[in-house]
Amino acid sequence: MTAVHEEVAAALAAGRPVVALESTIIAHGLPRPDNLRVAAEIEEAVRSEGAVPATIAVVGGRVRVGLGPDELEVIATTFDVDKLSLRDLGPGIASGRPGATTVASTAYIAARAGIRVFATGGLGGVHREAATTFDESADLGGLASTPIVVVCAGVKSILDVGATLERLETLSVPVVGYGSDRLGGFYLADSGHGLPWREDDPEGVAAIQRARDALGLPQALVVSNPLPVDLQMDPALHDRVLAEALAAADAAGITGKDVTPFILGRFHERTAGESLRVNVDLVLRNARLAARIAGALAAG
Ligand code: PSU
Ligand code: MN
């Protein structure tokens, strides 16, 4: 059922650092045709810091932990790749169709394979209209039940970030700011929310995860790696496009798992390449930091 790529298997067996990467960002979060090139760049960013990348997806009826170039291409270029969160994994595998894994399902598969660190872009969470739609990402439940370090640029700024932080607190998911006391704002440097814990080097994060492991705590450790201000999207552009995208999603009756890809797609259409540039910058930064944290964990 699960096929671990031989380079990943060898690294895990030898205790060398491995970083899991998700595939929904490739299939549904980034525009084509850039997504295939970016997927390779994310893997290269992990390698540049001395770790082995393990991009996770469902291809050919099997869960793949580490993709070859052909499998990466299937995920990046196939029309209508399924978006598989945790509840979709069973049907998605049984269908035989290619499927991209979200934060929740990637984390689950990675942890089961023995991978300790995972890099993504921005976390899913509580949507802005959740009080009436009940739309909360399954990422929250996944993070509550999967022991792995998740490096992100905060919560996606299209969400209700404050409500998401409250839910993470309720679910006992720790959020640590890397080099900052503030939660990253995904496309923006600062979400406007402070964090209770901060670390300034990979060893500090590794020490936290070792302490958690020793206690058998089942949740993920979220590491917020905010973009520096000079790399963020222009906040005025962000707010304008977001308001327009939320209204468009509402008018088009978009619901369920289509909401996030729709709004991110709208950003890619309406910011003249700026959302792509920012999304790539933040995910490459997260991949490099994740590799350094995996290195620190492997060293200890
Ligand atoms: N980060 C990005 N782009 C993305 C995602 C994260 O920079 O597309 C994906 C992740 O796979 C995450 C998903 O799990 O968006 C959340 O979708 P939803 O809100 O439907 O749970
Ligand atoms: Mn949702």
Side-chain angles (χ1 to χ4, degrees):
M1 198 61 72
T2 299
V4 182
H5 192 283
E6 65 175 336
E7 186 191 13
V8 175
L12 288 171
R16 292 198 302 272
V18 175
V19 172
L21 300 167
E22 58 142 319
S23 45
T24 292
I25 184 171
I26 301 167
H28 305 283
L30 294 167
R32 300 170 184 206
D34 305 274
N35 61 342
L36 180 57
R37 169 183 57 83
V38 175
E41 284 175 18
I42 301 169
E43 293 199 346
E44 197 44 49
V46 170
R47 289 189 195 283
S48 74
E49 296 291 344
V52 173
T55 304
I56 292 178
V58 173
V59 182
R62 301 182 82 182
V63 172
R64 310 276 166 178
V65 180
L67 302 182
D70 295 350
E71 291 151 350
L72 207 54
E73 194 171 331
V74 165
I75 292 298
T77 64
T78 304
F79 174 73
D80 232 10
V81 173
D82 291 329
K83 176 178 167 185
L84 307 179
S85 199
L86 264 177
R87 71 169 187 161
D88 308 302
L89 277 177
I93 293 164
S95 76
R97 292 153 46 89
T101 51
T102 65
V103 167
S105 50
T106 304
Y108 178 83
I109 293 162
R112 254 175 83 88
I115 299 173
R116 301 169 79 187
V117 185
F118 164 33
T120 182
L123 299 182
V126 181
H127 284 258
R128 290 177 187 235
E129 302 294 317
T132 50
T133 63
F134 282 61
D135 187 358
E136 252 191 41
S137 176
D139 288 356
L140 292 172
L143 294 168
S145 57
T146 312
I148 191 165
V149 179
V150 180
V151 182
C152 60
V155 174
K156 276 192 278 279
S157 53
I158 64 175
L159 302 170
D160 184 334
V161 178
T164 303
L165 280 176
E166 294 290 352
R167 293 287 290 132
L168 289 169
E169 181 179 4
T170 303
L171 295 167
S172 299
V173 176
V175 184
V176 174
Y178 189 81
S180 174
D181 303 311
R182 314 276 297 169
L183 179 71
F186 186 54
Y187 290 143
L188 303 175
D190 185 345
S191 67
H193 297 269
L195 291 174
W197 301 101
R198 166 182 178 151
E199 286 295 338
D200 292 323
D201 50 49
E203 289 70 27
V205 176
I208 293 175
Q209 187 61 355
R210 270 188 221 107
R212 294 182 53 78
D213 283 345
L215 292 171
L217 286 165
Q219 305 86 3
L221 168 61
V222 173
V223 177
S224 158
N225 184 32
L227 273 175
V229 173
D230 60 333
L231 291 181
Q232 75 173 351
M233 188 182 294
D234 169 23
L237 174 67
H238 175 271
D239 294 355
R240 177 156 42 82
V241 174
L242 177 57
E244 190 264 346
L246 291 169
D250 195 38
I254 308 291
T255 59
K257 65 184 181 182
D258 298 330
V259 173
T260 297
F262 180 91
I263 295 176
L264 295 181
R266 206 77 179 186
F267 265 94
H268 296 318
E269 286 163 19
R270 302 294 167 98
T271 62
E274 189 57 2
S275 63
L276 174 64
R277 196 268 309 156
V278 177
N279 211 333
V280 172
D281 279 351
L282 67 88
V283 79
L284 294 179
R285 287 169 47 85
N286 295 344
R288 287 193 291 268
L289 176 57
R292 294 175 63 204
I293 293 169
L297 275 169

